Amino acid sequence: MAEISSLLTLQGQLALLTLIGFFLARKGIINAQGRKCLTDLLINVILPANIIQSFLVEFSWDVLKSSASILVISLALQIGCVVLCALGYNWLPFARRSVYQYGTVCSNGAFLGSALVDGIWGSSGLLLSSIYLIPQRVAMWSVGVSYFLQDEKPASKEEMRADRRAVLRKTFTHPCILAVVVGMVLMASQLPLPGFLGRTVKSLSNCNMGVSMILIGAIIGSSRMGKLWDKDCFLYCLVRLGLIPAAVLLGCRLCGADSLVTGVSVVLAAMPMGGVTAVLAEKYGGDSAFASKCVAVSTVLSLITTPLWCMVV
């Protein structure tokens, strides 16, 4: 585990990068089109390169065992989150319930989480985070989107089959999923990348933290939040930043997971609401202002809670 001083230095770096993004958004330098470009750049180029770089390690059975362990943990967490969404949020009005539900199954693990794990554990942590995020990427485009469509008429069998095909196509053609496959092949075969290609992948991978945090700051800076105090928002933060990582930590301890698997799992489980929640709420008629507030407040609070979880694990 990283020393406290190193962790606080990393948190300060992340906070400063976020403030830069916030400032650029407030000044109009990063507008809606700019955020879209940064998002596409991250998802389609930088994150895949970051994932491939994380797999360029020496293959061992310990690595395989850790990868299998964290995949099981992530699958169990996603199932638990789906159950929580089905049973725990019925007291909320639909517009806010859909935000709660999507924000529970989909955190900001891909952007903020991967940057944080990279800073703390390096390539070994990044490899595990890439595996951990596979079930979340599947859930966010399947059951996650369905939360915003609950008021629509029941789909026909043909529509359901088409939806399943679309989910499978989107999942298996997602750049980050493809990067995991490429990375696993490279790790298993131990084939080195050609010099120029390896340096290019590493160069792109190094952009992950800076671009991710600036984008998060820009999303917060452009959010329509209204008044800050909102009990539903802070209750969500308690669930997302407190209860979920606590449940993951307890599960890891009971299962005897090793320290690296436990640390990566808990930190990624403690990530705030993903910015895509506000985008989908806007698209499907959910409470997009409330979603933006949850994204902003949970992200800011995570700068305080994440170091605490890191010290626990």
Side-chain angles (χ1 to χ4, degrees):
M1 184 61 215
E3 295 179 357
I4 299 301
S5 60
S6 299
L7 179 60
L8 293 177
T9 299
L10 175 62
Q11 285 294 110
Q13 179 184 0
L14 296 177
L16 184 56
L17 288 168
T18 305
L19 285 174
I20 291 172
F22 181 89
F23 175 80
L24 293 176
R26 287 297 189 186
K27 290 295 184 181
I29 298 174
I30 299 180
N31 55 18
Q33 184 61 36
R35 294 195 304 276
K36 182 181 184 303
C37 288
L38 285 176
T39 302
D40 290 342
L41 178 64
L42 266 171
I43 292 176
N44 296 309
V45 180
I46 294 177
L47 277 176
N50 187 251
I51 291 169
I52 291 173
Q53 181 67 30
S54 72
F55 278 90
L56 299 180
V57 296
E58 184 178 351
F59 176 80
S60 69
W61 288 110
D62 288 338
V63 170
L64 184 62
K65 181 181 177 181
S66 297
S67 299
S69 297
I70 204 164
L71 181 61
V72 171
I73 291 169
S74 181
L75 280 170
L77 174 61
Q78 289 303 130
I79 293 171
C81 287
V82 169
V83 172
L84 174 61
C85 290
L87 302 177
Y89 302 144
N90 292 327
W91 52 276
L92 286 161
F94 169 74
R96 289 196 168 193
R97 184 171 70 246
S98 57
V99 172
Y100 255 63
Q101 290 172 322
Y102 192 87
T104 298
V105 301
C106 177
S107 71
N108 205 348
F111 293 165
L112 177 57
S114 62
L116 189 59
V117 167
D118 188 13
I120 298 174
W121 289 286
S123 59
S124 58
L126 266 178
L127 188 155
L128 294 181
S129 71
S130 302
I131 300 296
Y132 177 97
L133 289 169
I134 292 174
Q136 178 176 297
R137 295 187 197 281
V138 175
M140 66 187 289
W141 297 119
S142 52
V143 64
V145 174
S146 73
Y147 292 134
F148 291 101
L149 306 176
Q150 294 173 79
D151 280 354
E152 293 193 351
K153 65 179 182 179
S156 64
K157 290 184 178 180
E158 290 76 14
E159 290 173 329
M160 291 175 65
R161 282 196 293 268
D163 286 344
R164 283 195 292 269
R165 287 195 295 270
V167 168
L168 289 173
R169 183 170 61 252
K170 181 169 287 189
T171 298
F172 289 111
T173 60
H174 193 286
C176 292
I177 300 296
L178 294 176
V180 170
V181 174
V182 172
M184 292 177 70
V185 170
L186 290 173
M187 184 178 70
S189 64
Q190 292 293 285
L191 290 174
L193 291 174
F196 72 94
L197 182 56
R199 291 175 68 90
T200 301
V201 169
K202 185 176 182 179
S203 179
L204 288 170
S205 176
N206 290 339
C207 298
N208 180 52
M209 180 183 294
V211 177
S212 295
M213 300 313 300
I214 288 174
L215 175 59
I216 291 170
I219 291 172
I220 295 173
S222 61
S223 298
R224 298 179 290 105
M225 294 186 291
K227 65 177 183 179
L228 183 61
W229 171 253
D230 188 313
K231 63 180 179 62
D232 291 344
C233 175
F234 284 97
L235 179 59
Y236 168 79
C237 291
L238 175 63
V239 173
R240 178 75 263 174
L241 305 178
L243 297 182
I244 291 177
V248 171
L249 177 59
L250 177 61
C252 289
R253 292 282 193 256
L254 292 175
C255 295
D258 65 51
S259 59
L260 179 59
V261 170
T262 299
V264 173
S265 298
V266 172
V267 167
L268 290 176
M271 290 298 98
M273 179 182 284
V276 71
T277 310
V279 175
L280 292 177
E282 180 75 24
K283 180 177 181 179
Y284 293 112
D287 192 337
S288 57
F290 175 67
S292 298
K293 184 184 299 183
C294 288
V295 171
V297 173
S298 63
T299 300
V300 171
L301 289 179
S302 72
L303 297 176
I304 301 171
T305 59
T306 304
L308 298 178
W309 283 116
C310 289
M311 286 187 280
V312 170
V313 299

